[in-house]
Amino acid sequence: MIAYIKADGIAEKELFAKLKARAGETDARVEDVARKILADIKTRGDTALEEYSEKFDGGLPEKWVLDREDLRQYIDKCDPALIIALRNAAENIRAFHAKQAQQSWLTTGNDGTILGQRTRALKRVGIYAPGGTAAYPSSVLMNAIPAKVAGVRELVMVTPPPREWGIDHILAAAAIAGVDKVYLIGGVQAVGALAYGTQTVPQVDKIVGPGNIYVATAKKLVFGTVDIDMIAGPSEILVIADDTAKPEYVAADLLAQAEHDELASAILLTTSQRLADDVLAELKTQLEKLPRREFARKSLEDFGAIVVCNSIEDCIALADEFAPEHLELCVADPLSYIGKVDNAGAVFLGNNTPESVGDYYAGPNHVLPTGGTARFFSPLSVDTFLKKSSFIYYTKEALSAAAADVLTLAKSEQFQAHANAVAVRVS
């Protein structure tokens, strides 16, 4: 059901190479389809948007643009317990991201120079929220709240129109998170509408939020016209555990990731042979109780592994090489290892901190780098929605003092006009 490996320097490297390659390259057919739809939306606007909505989503609803007043009505349509949970989670997310707020700054020199950086929020941001069976109100909170904390002036969201399963919980989450307007459109056409603007949908500065392969490809194609958050790959968890970990906890956490989809990856690195055996037994028992067990089973068979290592330090070294989206430290003293972990999207400390509490509730963002990109990429944050400009002020005296160096540098690069721009001021 799941690979069982004794770390020897070769087997685990082959495993990680396989895992990092599981997302594959962009499908050329998908890219061709996305490119055609995007070009059509850019050229024909609402007319093309209506045609693609008819083709893929059964048409636009009679009321497909919802304002804040419309959204508030959906709070009353949802289970009160869900609304309480969403509001509590939103409060935690807001409090965590408020700590990330950045300020503009300046510094002055003795020669009268002024240097600084101005930080300000993007004007308009678009969120893509999937519909159907992959509708996640928690993702609405995670994408919208940091934008609002950053000070984004207009936050709009697109999501496919409701079908038999409904999207009341998605719209209620949008209301709680402070989304200003929702457009009931989905797919590549929705990404195109946000990127280029139509007669009804305004062009945004940045698009964030998850979607299927067509949506992810469309986001990649419009990057440069607008900014995007990231190209998210299949989800993953890596658990490091010693002999103090509880096998039923570890197995449950691995399965929580495996049930996402068949490409999800769940890995255990442990120093305990006993724990490895017990977790394997627990996986078999717990798997049969899951409604999504076929997804989880396929994920574990293709991209799951239990690896027995010589030491926790070896486990951490392997984890850093893999750079997982989620890293759990189910060890006796997890706080002592924080400084040793370099590459991970989010780190969960101790036996009572399952990844699920981070996905939904704790406050840190669950939009995380995947596929090894945690080596150089960070979680979605307030900074995602900010832009920065530097500013410089020189007095005549300060320019004169710097002139010789600037002239030397400009001439070394054979840019005489650059040199002249200084020389005419100080000669």
Side-chain angles (χ1 to χ4, degrees), residues 289-310:
K289 301 174 184 177
L290 296 178
R292 293 174 63 86
R293 58 183 170 273
E294 294 311 315
F295 288 104
R297 189 190 313 277
K298 182 67 172 170
S299 166
L300 292 177
E301 288 175 352
D302 292 346
F303 304 112
I306 297 173
V307 183
V308 180
C309 302
N310 293 324

Side-chain angles (χ1 to χ4, degrees), residues 24-35:
E25 297 296 321
T26 301
D27 188 307
R29 183 186 62 83
V30 172
E31 186 168 320
D32 287 344
V33 170
R35 199 180 297 276

Side-chain angles (χ1 to χ4, degrees), residues 27 42 136 412:
D27 188 307
K42 184 177 182 180
Y136 307 122
S412 76

Side-chain angles (χ1 to χ4, degrees), residues 254-294:
L254 294 174
L255 288 169
Q257 201 63 40
E259 74 172 350
H260 267 278
D261 60 62
E262 295 178 353
L263 289 175
S265 175
I267 307 294
L268 167 63
L269 305 181
T270 181
T271 54
S272 170
Q273 186 74 54
R274 177 195 60 77
L275 180 72
D277 294 338
D278 290 348
V279 168
L280 182 60
E282 277 291 332
L283 285 172
K284 293 176 180 177
T285 300
Q286 294 185 29
L287 178 66
E288 296 308 315
K289 301 174 184 177
L290 296 178
R292 293 174 63 86
R293 58 183 170 273
E294 294 311 315

Side-chain angles (χ1 to χ4, degrees), residues 135-427:
Y136 307 122
S138 61
S139 286
V140 175
L141 301 184
M142 292 290 183
N143 282 278
I145 291 173
K148 282 295 184 179
V149 171
V152 171
R153 280 177 274 175
E154 186 177 355
L155 188 59
V156 301
M157 188 175 91
V158 294
T159 192
R163 297 182 181 177
E164 64 272 13
W165 44 72
I167 56 170
D168 290 1
H169 56 326
I170 296 295
L171 299 178
I176 290 169
V179 172
D180 297 297
K181 194 165 287 187
V182 171
Y183 300 88
L184 297 179
I185 51 177
V188 175
Q189 63 270 24
V191 174
L194 292 175
Y196 304 120
T198 72
Q199 293 85 345
T200 302
V201 183
Q203 183 185 37
V204 301
D205 300 314
K206 186 163 191 167
I207 301 172
V208 301
N212 62 22
I213 188 171
Y214 286 93
V215 170
T217 301
K219 285 172 63 180
K220 184 176 181 180
L221 291 173
V222 301
F223 175 64
T225 299
V226 295
D227 193 15
I228 62 171
D229 49 355
M230 65 181 76
I231 303 297
S235 194
E236 61 213 17
I237 188 172
L238 191 150
V239 179
I240 293 176
D242 60 17
D243 56 9
T244 67
K246 295 184 179 297
E248 61 270 31
Y249 292 4
V250 174
D253 292 352
L254 294 174
L255 288 169
Q257 201 63 40
E259 74 172 350
H260 267 278
D261 60 62
E262 295 178 353
L263 289 175
S265 175
I267 307 294
L268 167 63
L269 305 181
T270 181
T271 54
S272 170
Q273 186 74 54
R274 177 195 60 77
L275 180 72
D277 294 338
D278 290 348
V279 168
L280 182 60
E282 277 291 332
L283 285 172
K284 293 176 180 177
T285 300
Q286 294 185 29
L287 178 66
E288 296 308 315
K289 301 174 184 177
L290 296 178
R292 293 174 63 86
R293 58 183 170 273
E294 294 311 315
F295 288 104
R297 189 190 313 277
K298 182 67 172 170
S299 166
L300 292 177
E301 288 175 352
D302 292 346
F303 304 112
I306 297 173
V307 183
V308 180
C309 302
N310 293 324
S311 67
I312 293 298
E313 287 71 22
D314 286 350
C315 293
I316 290 176
L318 286 175
D320 266 352
E321 184 178 336
F322 184 49
E325 178 186 16
H326 308 95
L327 173 65
E328 287 190 5
L329 296 179
C330 297
V331 295
D333 184 15
L335 293 174
S336 68
Y337 292 104
I338 293 177
K340 299 179 180 180
V341 173
D342 287 328
N343 301 327
V347 183
F348 302 80
L349 302 168
N351 288 307
N352 296 308
T353 315
E355 179 217 321
S356 304
V357 77
D359 273 352
Y360 294 114
Y361 196 77
N365 213 283
H366 77 196
V367 181
L368 303 167
T370 61
T373 60
R375 291 180 296 111
F376 51 81
F377 209 68
S378 303
L380 187 139
S381 67
V382 167
D383 200 49
T384 303
F385 303 99
L386 298 177
K387 57 182 178 179
K388 305 175 184 73
S389 300
S390 56
F391 55 87
I392 305 165
Y393 171 79
Y394 265 52
T395 62
K396 187 172 183 63
E397 293 73 22
L399 181 60
S400 295
D405 286 343
V406 177
L407 291 172
T408 298
L409 291 168
K411 290 174 181 178
S412 76
E413 296 182 355
Q414 299 183 12
F415 281 134
Q416 187 59 47
H418 281 64
N420 290 343
V422 173
V424 297
R425 288 171 165 82
V426 300
S427 61

Side-chain angles (χ1 to χ4, degrees), residues 29-79:
R29 183 186 62 83
V30 172
E31 186 168 320
D32 287 344
V33 170
R35 199 180 297 276
K36 177 180 180 298
I37 295 173
L38 291 172
D40 210 8
I41 296 294
K42 184 177 182 180
T43 303
R44 298 194 297 130
D46 278 355
T47 301
L49 188 58
E50 291 171 10
E51 291 174 5
Y52 287 113
S53 294
E54 180 68 36
K55 180 178 180 180
F56 297 119
D57 293 321
L60 292 173
E62 183 176 348
K63 185 177 177 64
W64 61 281
V65 182
L66 307 177
D67 59 22
R68 297 179 88 170
E69 174 107 10
D70 297 321
L71 294 174
R72 279 192 287 270
Q73 298 175 18
Y74 286 90
I75 292 176
D76 295 331
K77 296 182 179 182
C78 293
D79 180 354

